Amino acid sequence: MGLGLDPGFAQAVFRDQIEANKVVQRGLYARWDAHPEERPTERPDLATEVRPALDRITTQAVSSGVQAADARPGWSAVSASSRAALRDAHARGFDVLHLKGLARALPSVCALRS
């Protein structure tokens, strides 16, 4: 699938997404160990809930990567990406843990590329 993305950029973005997910997962497990009453009582269904959500996120990430590759590199592009991510996080009511995950996910997406 030739989408015009630099393979190194795509690899860095997905690596950061995986590492961000680990930050959130570890934080949630630590929270649930400290406060077992907050632990979910039911697991989401992998086939009908988790995988479709991951597919949507992956499609959005790849699409955003194609758009970013077309954008002119520079500080304004970096700050615009960061501002958009922070606005979305605020609108969704991210807690501190999820903000940490977002911070871990952004470096490759918001990096300056020449």
Side-chain angles (χ1 to χ4, degrees), residues 14-96:
F14 282 101
R15 181 189 59 240
D16 283 352
Q17 302 310 302
I18 291 167
E19 294 303 318
N21 186 47
K22 290 178 186 177
V23 167
V24 173
Q25 283 181 352
R26 289 176 184 138
L28 287 173
Y29 281 118
R31 181 185 298 168
W32 297 333
D33 284 345
H35 304 281
E37 72 280 2
E38 293 180 13
R39 184 183 313 260
T41 56
E42 295 182 21
R43 293 179 185 216
D45 184 85
L46 186 63
T48 62
E49 295 176 69
V50 177
R51 289 198 192 277
L54 290 174
D55 288 344
R56 281 191 305 276
I57 292 166
T58 300
T59 300
Q60 291 171 349
V62 170
S63 177
S64 296
V66 170
Q67 291 172 2
D70 293 338
R72 180 181 172 159
W75 284 109
S76 60
V78 172
S79 15
S81 296
S82 297
R83 281 194 309 269
L86 291 171
R87 271 194 307 273
D88 190 53
H90 177 71
R92 293 173 186 264
F94 278 27
D95 60 12
V96 172

